Amino acid sequence: MDKGQGDYVEKLEKERPVEAVQKGFSFLRERMLTDQSLLGYLSECSALPDEIKQGMREGQDFVSSGRAIKAILRHGPEECRKLIDFIRGSQLHADFKEHLSTVDVDSEKFNLSIETVYDHRTTLYQEMEPSLMADILLEKLVLNIDEHDTVERAVTRKEKCEALLLLVQTHKDNIQKFKLALKKCGCSSVLDEMKEKMPEIPDDPLDCVKRTYRLLHQKIQKEHLYEYIKKKESDQELPDSSEEIICSLMKSPKGCRDLLYYLRKENLSLFYEVMEKYKLRRDGKTVIEQGEHTVDIGNVLCELEFLKTEMEPIPFSDILLEENMILPPLHQSVHQESSHKIQAEMILEKLQKDFEKKYDEAEEKFERQMFEMHRKFDMPGHKPKSTPLRYENPPFDTKEIEKEFKAPEIEHCISKLKWTAVLEKLKENRNVFKDCLSHSYTLSHYDGEEKFALKTQSIAFNEGMFPSAMVLSIEIFSSKIDLKEKQQEIVKFLNSDSTLRSRISRFLHMRVDKAESPLVLHLTSLTEKASQRLLSDNDHVIQKLIKMLLDMMNITISLYEESKSLEIHVTITESTSDSNKQEDSHFIKVRIQQYWDLLVQELEPRQLVLCFVKEGLMTKPEEQIIRSCRQRQTMVAAFLKILLKASEERTFEYFVQLLRQLNKKDIADKLYCRDTISVHQDAETARQNILLHLDEVLENTDTYITEQTLRKRDDSIIPESVWPNSGFSRKGRAYTLLLFVFEDDSLVLEFKNALQYRRFGHYFQNIIADTTEVLQEKNVDTMQKKLSENTVFECTYRAGIRAGYDPAARNKDFVPVVSHDYIYDERYRRGRRVWQMEEFFGHPDMYYRRFEMMRRPMRRHLGVASKPATNEPEEKKKFVTKHKTVAAIDFGTSYSGYAFSSQENPLEVVTGKWKTNSSELLESLKTPTSLLFKSNGLVESFGYEAEQKFKALVEENKHHDYRFFYQIKKELLGKHRCDENLVVFDHMGRPMDAEKVISTAIGYLFVECKDAIAEKKFDKDDILWVMTVPSLWNNFAKQFLRKAAEKAGIPRKQLILTLEPEVAAIYTIKGSKPDLPSDSGDQYVSGTQILLVDLGGGTADFTLMGVAKDGGLEVLHEAVGGAWGGTTINARIWEFMEELLTKDVIDEFKKQTSDYLDMESNIELKKRDLSANNKLLLLVYPSLASICKDKTGKTYKTLVEESEHAEDVKVRTGKIIFEPKMIEKIFERTLKECFSVMDEILQGNGKNVKDIILVGGFSESEIIQKQFENKYSKYHLIIPTDPGLAVLKGAVIFGHDDTMVERRISPHTYGVETLQFGFDTDPGDMKKVISGTTFCSGTFHKIVSRGEILQVAQNTEVDVFSPKISAKQLFLKFYQTDKKGIQCVADEGCDYIGKLTINIEEPPFGVEPLVRLFFKFGEIETTVEGKEVLTDKPVKTDIDFLERKP
């Protein structure tokens, strides 16, 4: 400090003490943290309030220091002069003067404007530390004390930034000081952006996004981008998840432009970074860097199988996209595909085609050179020379030709991904992985179950002893076979081969820390219950391990030939290990990682570093690491990583305390939450699920998932072998990551999140099924000797060849030799090409033939890539039935019928005809659904015949010995949950088995239809039978009807069910020729909406349907309706009759069965012919008139005239006449119910409906038609030619092509009861221990939701896990609900509907079976198939909706 500066400071201290204190604000604030004398002075200062002094005494130094200085400033010159006098007399004065004399030099060569600040506000929000900025601006006299308080009072960092920028705008004359403050705060990256002119969006935004894809994928906030595009008024098609948003936007230049606009608006810093990288990529070398390339195209083509195994498809496709080696559609297909194998095949198929083309071009160029050389030297080109010919100076540049056969693009891409071992493999034909000494795929087939049989000789446990670390010793005794060398070989593999160790972890749930000779395994549990699981279920897990090790020893033939057995002694002892007790600091670490993003967003790192250094909790090198970061977010990340490495409890306590001081109480409370049980339980459950899917997890874990999991950990503690440049195989890296992750609850949850983000969340949504299987007790001797204190388990086995196994016929023995991963004919692979050889035999075709031979084995070993799944519908055939005849049965409430057509003429539907034996109607296309049984249960007649016979029996008073049933179908409607023992009641109220009655009725229809088919000379053997059901029917009713139909004789495999509204729509569109408008009928276009109203005898169904892109139909609204069919009119008439003649009279009349049935038939016939102005005339039977007189003492005429309906009902001789107003009342209730439902649909999902189709027998009523026309006059009402037969004929057409309906809506939420991994906190009555593992029962696991769109034939995959090792039978209880948020099957509104039984004929030995089920909820009947995942064998499934609730 020179003399002039010293004089300035001296004058400032004496004449302007307030200004001097304000300019020294940050200096004084920092020194209060370290200088005890200054702290002591302020503690005694009378100007400070007691609150500030109390905070200083309680250790809230940082916050209290700022408040103290501002309190002194508020007291004015007197207190400020006292403070300066104290400083002048202390050791602080020299430093204080130096601080005041410091002049900030503006080295930036640009003038900042308030407009520029506004343009870069999003970057400032990300990078600024507003508290530090406010301090600097206060001491630069830009802000006053009150304005400084405004910033400090804001809670979140973003709010502080917003408040600060508003204040800067009011002080825009001091904008250059704001620039200096930014520089002093370390926001140099922001200033660099401000200096530059904002880049323009490139003319080719798609190319820009492609070339910078990995940068965007790594840094962009996909969820925020997804919401931005979603809110933006755009026709951009959005993907199902935010993970695929960038791929989705790359479908078009417009989408890419929207993405770049988003960056410029919301993340300007990343926008600059993207533009800079794009400029370098566009202007520089786009693909290949300079240097010598050594990877040959032929080597790549030979190693496609190897690449398929070791490739990480997602990262590889990303870099191939950047290098323009694949196009966005293929890139997106790879990202959308979940199978690693298919992803790899997609990429390799493209590379194979490209490289073969390049190889062909290079070969052609080489051949031209060779022919030129032959011609020049006059050499024959059609046959080889007998002696070699040498060339010391070839006539062409061999190096240039050699370059044509290189693959620099693939070498460049693999190098950038750091797949060093893969690159070495492509250069040299040798095994280069550090963790693979063998055929990795061969090891995965090791089992030994089919070869060896173990018999337990004796066994002993140390009850209740389940250590987390143990030593498992296996001693094998044999008098004939020398096993020492074989055991040493096994130990070598156990210590080196990650594939083998991961497989052991899969079924042991333990990791092999090391193996020692002769055969000793040091194991550590990967889950809390691993040791209990190992020692449960009759030691199956231990037996599996022994069989696998025996299989590796290559002793099968020796044992077989010697006919000897081995004695095997197994001992498990407890191993010393560190305590599993977790201090509070551990759980704070978990919370830090849980709220990592929030901390990165909110913390101001320079404040934290200053305080941690002051407390001695951070070293100088650590401070330098943090301060060396250029951006605030990276500084916070570096600070948190260093914090997570800390071991002292005091470090984490101080961190939480400091957050409270900095007005971040909410964050501090989250970090210090002691609810640690739930975190650990979540992590433990995740461990169990990961082990359950271990093979798939290892298959799909790539570098992106590794980076996402470990991004919060310091590199120094991460194993190097998890990274691609480690030399480990892909699965070996994944397994190492898994072992590292399993040690820490927070890492387990991070790994789970990373997998879920990549659409592997189904690994953690397993259904744990119940099993009632009881394993048989073993006939073994229990060892009576007492085990030593640290011995957990001892057992002796006799091992021999399994009965029936012939090693000569099925020799699968393992030969533990190091060899190549893949086998090719050595003539066809590597080796110098013809033109590289020193000796050339003169035949120009020699190279071509060699190349062709080389390509053939490559093609033989490379699997053909599956066609990527698309949303585009396949081209549909007109009719796709495989059956020569389709017959439909409409089993109706009031009337039933049948129809059929042939494969040659599917639209020429033939309907059945029934004799009525009536003079009014000789034949009918349907017959009443009525049955007459004899007293012994034998059927008498059906349909019209049954009604006529029953009437005659009543008249003769002989009906008591018979049983008459009618309208039996309505018994199945509304049966939410019942069982197959359903009964129906006859005319006298006597019950009979419903299945017998219904199957008998269907049987009549079935026989009549078959006879009609034979009469028409149609094929009567190859018939597909279609039965119609209302859309309101549940799974119970459908399965009940199917069972009854099968009992009636319809073959199970030749029977399908179909929904009545759907087939009615099909008939109207495809088969009927009504008077349609120009935009209807056959001219329905994609997107058209139709409301189908099916008014049948018993029910009214309302279905909203749409026309799909390919002309098929899709259901757009869940099925709605009710019991509002034609029978409700009959019921309503009888209700009015009760009001007219009293209920007692009508009840007594109904007992006069013959007259009552006559009158009911009369009502049924006349209601269909009623019109709005017509009257309904009902005959008054003598029996009815007599009952009126007997019961009331009045005539029926008097009763009618005295009723409330006297004006609307008249009486004539022998007749009751309902006037038109009364007719309206009869129909009013039914129409009101129908219109209410229709209005709800039309005002909701059906806003675009133009056509309403009216079908069903009840729709033939003129009143119904007129009321619908009046109510919905703005719609076009379509009534088919014969609406009563629309369902029946439509069912026939549907049978010829059941693909006409493409999508349906789930009517309910369906799920199953699942067990969950249990813990001590679970209720006792819900706990269940299976195979040593505790489970909690009663949890509802949702599979599909109500209103969810279901593709027909679409599989909903669900993984079902057996809690019992080697279980053969699993059970799942099915539930349905219409409520949201159901968690437990015992919750109100969650109803049991059936049971699924899973039979596993060949369960995997020694492990819990994992069954993958494939539900088809989009079909009319819910079906399920499945396979056992580990064995890949199908399982038998039986879904029973008729079973009683347990």
Side-chain angles (χ1 to χ4, degrees), residues 645-656:
K645 289 199 301 182
S647 57
E648 293 186 27
E649 181 73 20
R650 187 171 75 92
T651 303
F652 297 96
E653 290 180 350
Y654 178 72
F655 178 58
V656 174

Side-chain angles (χ1 to χ4, degrees), residues 1035 1038-1039 1042 1046 1052 1055-1057 1304 1310 1343-1344 1350-1358 1374 1395-1397 1412-1426 1435-1441:
N1035 289 297
K1038 294 174 188 175
Q1039 193 169 43
R1042 169 175 279 280
E1046 292 172 5
R1052 179 180 183 83
L1055 172 64
I1056 64 171
L1057 304 187
R1304 296 188 175 96
Y1310 294 104
I1343 301 177
V1344 294
L1350 303 172
Q1351 297 283 346
V1352 173
Q1354 169 189 322
N1355 284 326
T1356 300
E1357 292 187 13
V1358 173
F1374 259 85
K1395 182 178 76 172
L1396 172 66
T1397 304
R1412 183 154 297 155
L1413 296 179
F1414 305 96
F1415 289 92
K1416 285 187 171 68
F1417 287 101
E1419 301 285 354
I1420 296 166
E1421 298 176 87
T1422 301
T1423 60
V1424 59
E1425 297 175 346
V1435 298
K1436 292 183 179 180
T1437 58
D1438 179 29
I1439 188 166
D1440 185 4
F1441 292 113

Side-chain angles (χ1 to χ4, degrees), residues 1141-1152 1183-1196 1199:
L1141 306 178
T1142 73
K1143 187 175 187 301
D1144 289 342
V1145 169
I1146 297 303
D1147 287 345
E1148 183 64 27
F1149 176 67
K1150 287 182 178 179
K1151 296 178 182 179
Q1152 308 298 315
S1183 59
L1184 178 59
S1186 175
I1187 293 172
C1188 288
K1189 192 70 174 176
D1190 294 341
K1191 288 285 184 180
T1192 66
K1194 300 177 182 180
T1195 65
Y1196 68 89
L1199 290 172

Side-chain angles (χ1 to χ4, degrees), residues 228-261:
Y228 172 86
I229 300 295
K230 189 176 181 180
K231 292 176 182 177
K232 191 178 187 311
E233 293 185 2
S234 172
D235 56 356
Q236 180 67 45
E237 184 179 347
L238 292 175
D240 294 334
S241 67
S242 59
E243 168 67 12
E244 304 300 328
I245 183 64
I246 303 178
C247 291
S248 179
L249 293 175
M250 281 198 299
K251 289 180 178 179
S252 67
K254 183 181 181 301
C256 294
R257 192 176 297 278
D258 287 343
L259 187 153
L260 296 176
Y261 273 123

Side-chain angles (χ1 to χ4, degrees), residues 885-889 897-902 908-914 923-925 1003-1021 1023 1025 1288 1292:
T885 305
V886 172
I889 295 177
Y898 63 85
F900 55 89
S901 71
S902 66
E908 294 183 9
V909 181
V910 179
T911 55
K913 294 181 180 180
W914 302 82
E923 283 187 335
S924 173
L925 299 180
Y1004 262 95
L1005 296 166
F1006 173 61
V1007 173
E1008 287 286 334
C1009 185
K1010 285 192 71 174
D1011 292 344
I1013 290 173
E1015 186 178 338
K1016 287 287 183 179
K1017 301 189 183 307
F1018 287 7
D1019 192 303
K1020 61 180 181 180
D1021 297 319
I1023 304 175
W1025 294 91
L1288 189 54
V1292 175

